[in-house]
Amino acid sequence: MNTTLTWIASAGLCAALLATLSAQAAQPGAFSVTETKSAIGNKPAKAPRTKDRCIGPELVDKDGFLYPDLILSKHFSQCRIKDSKLLDKNNKSWTVTCGKMLTAQAKQTNTGDNFHLHIDAALLGGAMKQTLDYEAQSLKRQCTPEDEPLE
């Protein structure tokens, strides 16, 4: 009897640990996203804004990280990931180029269903720089027509 209880407790602990490990990934769905963009050139920084956003399955890789080239390609053409590194189960970094217009370093940190994506972009060979931060909290629901795409 004692062995059975120990086994059940161990199985429960293992299941809880597996759920915790697999939960450290962004999943497609609706998120409340606070976007912060620094000043660029002679344009002032925009105030942070929070919107409900839809993150479709095409934006999320198998490890639960976004594709920053797809986000940047909404504003620039020919964006490609040049390099990517899975730093650990919760962190990934990338180098992205968008033709000759932009190069960017990106890093995403996942915390449960939520994530933070930070992008340092250099335009025109570094003549202008901008940082973009996306702080996202999962709404734990599917996207609706009111949720705008992440851009």
Side-chain angles (χ1 to χ4, degrees), residues 1-8:
M1 182 79 166
N2 214 2
T3 305
T4 302
L5 289 176
T6 302
W7 183 84
I8 291 171

Side-chain angles (χ1 to χ4, degrees), residues 100-103 121-130:
K100 295 183 190 255
M101 288 291 297
L102 178 132
T103 58
L123 292 143
L124 305 170
M128 291 190 282
K129 296 182 181 190
Q130 184 174 40

Side-chain angles (χ1 to χ4, degrees), residues 37-106:
K37 296 180 180 180
S38 69
I40 183 167
N42 58 3
K43 294 181 181 179
K46 292 184 178 182
R49 64 181 183 168
T50 302
K51 289 187 173 188
D52 289 352
R53 298 285 193 175
C54 180
I55 297 178
E58 71 283 356
L59 286 180
V60 182
D61 72 14
K62 66 180 177 52
D63 296 314
F65 294 95
L66 300 183
Y67 290 108
D69 58 325
L70 295 180
I71 295 167
L72 291 170
S73 70
K74 301 207 188 254
H75 304 283
F76 299 94
S77 62
Q78 303 172 345
C79 294
R80 303 283 182 265
I81 292 175
K82 223 172 119 175
D83 180 43
S84 70
K85 275 187 200 164
L86 185 61
L87 305 172
D88 58 43
K89 68 182 174 87
N90 300 327
N91 294 283
K92 190 170 187 175
S93 66
W94 303 264
T95 300
V96 178
T97 59
C98 299
K100 295 183 190 255
M101 288 291 297
L102 178 132
T103 58
Q105 300 297 317

